[in-house]
Structures are given as C-alpha cells and as structure tokens.
Amino acid sequence: MHAVGRPIVDLLSRYRTRDPREAADAARVRALVEGTDDPWLRSIPLHVTASALIVHPGSGRVLMRWHARQGSWLQIGGHGDPGESDPLEIVLREGHEETGLGDLVPYPDASLAELVQVVIVPVAAGGGEPAHEHADLRFVLATADPDAARPENPDAPLRWMTPAEAREATSEENVREALRRVEELPAVAAERG
C-alpha cells in the first residue's frame, strides 16, 4: 500500500461497521486503497471523498448544504486536492470552504477524529464527468459559532436544521442514516430529549 492510503486504512481499522451493506462498502474502500497509487484521484471510477455533518452542540442542530447537482440538502465535503491524503484534513478544508466556519473540530472528541459512516455513493454523469462512485468517509464536526456560517456561493445555501428536519429535507437515504447516527451522539440526543 502506498503512503497516501495509510490515513484511510488507519481510520478503517478503528471503525466498526453497522450492517452488512456498510461492511461491504468498507471492504471495497480498503480494496481500492490497497490496489491503487492514489485513491483520491477523480479520474478513477471509484474514488475516495470525505464529508461531514456539522453540528452545533449547544442547540443539537446540523448544518445542511444545498447541492444543486443532486437536487438535495446534503452534508458538506468533497474531493481531496492534489497532494492531500488525510481524510480529516480534507473534510476540515472543505468544511471551511463551503461554510466559512473557522472553528470546526471533530465531534464528540476534538482530539480524535472518528468515522461515523462509510458509504459508496453512485454519482450521475454531469459537469463534464462520467458516472462514477464516491467512497465517502463521513465524520461529524462541531462549531461553537453557528451564526458565522456563510455559503461559499449563492447556489449552495446553508441551513441549520434539527436532525429530524434534515432527514425530511434530504432525498438521500444514506444521509438519513448518517443523521440517525448523529442523533445518537450525547449532546445532540440531550437536545432532542
């Protein structure tokens, strides 16, 4: 395995999948990492992405971003830039770019980034790219300053929602599952209670 894949394998080795489908997706991600020089390359039909649901622990709300290409409210995140290999660094960069939030940290433990979900998502052709798949490594990030959130452009508005509102707003079942997992986190669960 090439060094660029080591951070992904480290995350996967600590992660416990929740069901057979997620286990199969995690196995495909591991095989991708072990079988290619750079699993982040957008030129390969299955490539790694990193995303996160951003929570505000004080209110239990999550920040959702409108994705026009998918026509749905989704989490933030995306592709690694050339030379990037650490999923957490990628999702923190993407989170800052997409939301303007400069205080994002892993949640619930700021000192240890853990995956909340591993899912392979089909992506339809568009924007000059053929149909492909994202091997999405999902995290939860937190902000203490939800009012500082600003969309990166007018076509990608942001909206704070309760997890229940976000589940209703998204058209993606895999995102609904990620939101259910976020609701299990202590501060989010306490706000719902």
Side-chain angles (χ1 to χ4, degrees):
M1 174 192 9
H2 297 275
V4 73
R6 175 58 51 203
I8 299 168
V9 170
D10 290 347
L11 281 167
L12 290 174
S13 69
R14 295 192 310 263
Y15 183 66
R16 301 294 166 247
T17 58
R18 301 263 189 121
D19 56 53
R21 182 176 182 156
E22 186 177 33
D25 284 354
R28 281 187 68 199
V29 174
R30 184 178 288 272
L32 170 68
V33 170
E34 292 172 352
T36 187
D37 290 345
D38 187 350
W40 297 96
L41 288 176
R42 294 176 78 156
S43 59
I44 55 179
L46 170 64
H47 53 267
V48 177
T49 56
S51 69
L53 287 161
I54 296 174
V55 300
H56 174 241
S59 68
R61 295 177 300 157
V62 296
L63 185 61
M64 301 296 283
R65 179 183 185 267
W66 178 254
H67 287 255
R69 183 172 173 187
Q70 287 88 358
S72 186
W73 290 97
L74 302 174
Q75 74 282 7
I76 61 92
H79 297 90
D81 286 344
E84 291 182 319
S85 63
D86 185 307
L88 178 62
E89 289 176 13
I90 291 166
V91 80
L92 287 169
R93 175 187 51 75
E94 288 280 337
H96 179 69
E97 289 174 2
E98 294 181 9
T99 70
L101 294 169
D103 70 337
L104 296 173
V105 294
Y107 187 81
D109 183 348
S111 67
L112 180 65
E114 294 292 346
L115 294 170
V116 71
Q117 187 182 36
V118 176
V119 62
I120 294 181
V121 181
V123 179
E129 293 181 331
H132 58 282
E133 293 177 300
H134 288 170
D136 200 30
L137 306 175
R138 293 188 176 160
F139 297 87
V140 178
L141 301 176
T143 181
D145 190 10
D147 294 334
R150 301 288 179 268
E152 67 181 321
N153 66 62
D155 297 330
L158 303 170
R159 184 176 301 163
W160 285 104
M161 304 178 193
T162 66
E165 291 167 339
R167 279 196 321 276
E168 182 103 4
T170 187
S171 63
E172 300 294 325
E173 180 53 39
N174 64 76
V175 176
R176 287 187 195 106
E177 176 58 27
L179 287 158
R180 283 189 280 274
R181 294 176 186 192
V182 167
E183 283 183 296
E184 297 170 2
L185 298 172
V188 178
E191 288 302 318
R192 286 183 32 228

